[in-house]
Amino acid sequence: MSEAKGVGGIDPRATPGSAGAGERPPMGTVSRAGDGELYAPMPSKHMVINLGPSHPAMHGVTRAVVELNGEIIEEMKLDIGFLHRGFEKSCENVTWGQVFPYTDRLNYVSSIMNNVGFALAVEKLAKLEIPERARYLRVITSEIHRICDHLTLVGAMAMELGAMTVFLYGIEARDLLWDRLAELCGARLTSNYARIGGVARDMPEGWQEKTLKVLDRVVAIREEIGQLLNRNRIFIDRCLNTGKVSREDALELGFTGPCLRASGEPYDIRKAAPYLVYDRLDFDIPVGSNGDNFDRYLMRMEEMRQSDKIIRQCFEQMAPGEIIVQDFRYALPPKPLVYGTIEGVMAHFKLVMEGIKVPAGEVYSYTEAANGELGFYVVSDGGGRPYKLGLRAPGWPMLAALPVMTKGSLLSDLIPTFDSINMIGGEVEQ
Amino acid sequence: MASELDGLPVIATRREEAEGFLQGLVSKSLGWARKYSLFTYPFVTACCGMEYMTMASARYDSDRFGAAMPRFSPRQADLLMVVGTVNCKQAPILQRIYEQMADPKWVMAFGVCASSGGFYDNYATVQGIDRIIPVDVYVPGCPPRPEQVLDGIMLLQKKIQNQSHKLIDRKPLPVIAGGPGR
Ligand code: SF4
């Protein structure tokens, strides 16, 4: 750490025990204005205030009715449904292949992870084995999107606590990754990449080298963000020991993903029930100890590091080959076949007009998305459309736990807590 | 009913002409001032919000148009950017925010969801915000690229420049039928 980095440098004249002296402040105590012995309490009125849905800190789609005593939250009620777009119902009206754009818009910061989750569910039902290279490509793009998701979270969280620079850096890094994804699948944000039976296209020429370069740059930006935040007095004061969830509570409340691991439970679906090629990759599962907002932030930073490692390993391991199954009941035939042969035309026509015929049955398939377990419960009646589709959104249990997490804390602690659980409207409201 | 008087040239006195000329000057300069000081209220609900973030930060930097200082209070904003899907539960809130904004105000629909309901053709989604509030500029795309939005901002600036602006506007305020509290 260089001396020149104002916030990051260790100041020998700083008060011992403060962040400036390079030590974390003592843990385990919630310090609040007014706890000191010299505090003269002002009589405070009991009041109910309404936060959101159009409040910048509530991400536009959540309404919180907060009962306050002074500045302490006594009770809180959440009102959601301001982004309900009928995801599950919409999916039943379109063919299996057309569900993908809807899944993109569930968690719009990491859309490929949703694509992959849905594709895996259908493949599980159809008992479809997908080609090696497609698996690697799915892992690579998913992990790129995991980094994007975490960068957005860290940036937005820091911005809402007043650190605009971090936000600008985070968005810059995310933009670089999005450029690569746009080269790969044509879209910046709603990148529709997975298909049933494989992926949409192969990597373009030189994409791997470019991506590796971008990853290096992202690492540099991430380090910079870490230096700006990790020992930042304001950030620490607002995050450390706020929004605390114990390991037992987290399990009880149904947490998954980084929020669960921040509380100390090392559960990650990529390790517990490996899918695609995760069992061949070497990566670690970070675990927190405190379960507070600061741990959830550190968790994201470490997960970005691990994702970076995964992508690099995939690039080394993957070999040229097919990217989608060569079974025309599931995948669209290549265009020369469509224009040149009658079988090609028929397969194309059938797939486009009627959709893939997925065998009748039901299945639950789950993957580790950026926020936790993303589960699809799919029911098929053998027709071209999903008969019923259920979604287990990763953000939902965390959002539902918000009233529990913030009870008794200051109103200002609500902001970092709400940010660090990474509530994404699209998936929570289905 | 068209009367025969309609076809006749309007006779203007020199005083009216002078007044018109002055008003034109005032309108031009007000338009010029207003087009470079748009204060945005981002009404961000969904995916397009991610693209809004990109547009507002370093690479695309909408600030250089003098047009993107986000104001999270409707009373301090004059450009309402509706970013993302608006559903039936959200609609009255959007309407109220629009009503709370001070005149003169403009609205930009960011993305196809705000413009037309997008591909959410179902019971929950409002099929375009122009069903509840007036819209000046529509930016298509799902989500639109930041360049498209910047283009939209420039279109809006042109539109503002060419509008007629008055120092004192004695027109009655527009009222949206069936708005909240009515
Ligand atoms: S236009 Fe597309 S990206 Fe924008 S909010 Fe609607 S679905 Fe999301």
Side-chain angles (χ1 to χ4, degrees), chain A residues 83 85 101 105 108 189-190, chain B residues 45-49 51 83-86 110-115 117-120 139-144:
Chain A
L83 188 57
R85 310 188 270 197
R105 286 149 183 86
Y108 25 78
L189 163 60
T190 43
Chain B
T45 57
C47 353
C48 277
E51 213 52 302
V83 184
T85 323
V86 174
F110 185 125
V112 289
C113 275
S115 306
F119 81 150
Y120 289 100
V139 182
C142 180

Side-chain angles (χ1 to χ4, degrees), chain A residues 54 79-80 84-85 179, chain B residues 41 59 85 87 89 122-123:
Chain A
S54 190
D79 181 7
I80 63 168
H84 172 76
R85 310 188 270 197
D179 282 350
Chain B
Y41 182 94
R59 186 182 288 192
T85 323
N87 69 6
K89 192 171 176 180
N122 58 30
Y123 62 92

Side-chain angles (χ1 to χ4, degrees), chain A residues 53-54 56 59-61 79-85 90 101-102 105 108 152 167-168 171 174-176 178-179 188-190, chain B residues 41 43-47 50-51 53-54 57-60 72 85 87 89-90 93 97 119-120 122-124 142-143 145-146:
Chain A
S54 190
H59 300 191
V61 284
D79 181 7
I80 63 168
F82 293 96
L83 188 57
H84 172 76
R85 310 188 270 197
S90 301
Y102 287 102
R105 286 149 183 86
Y108 25 78
T152 313
F167 175 74
L168 294 178
I171 298 295
R174 194 181 73 170
D175 251 342
L176 289 169
W178 276 3
D179 282 350
R188 282 161 54 80
L189 163 60
T190 43
Chain B
Y41 182 94
F43 190 86
V44 178
T45 57
C47 353
M50 301 297 129
E51 213 52 302
M53 281 164 134
T54 307
S57 44
R59 186 182 288 192
Y60 292 97
F72 285 106
T85 323
N87 69 6
K89 192 171 176 180
Q90 187 83 270
I93 294 149
I97 297 256
F119 81 150
Y120 289 100
N122 58 30
Y123 62 92
C142 180
R145 283 190 64 96

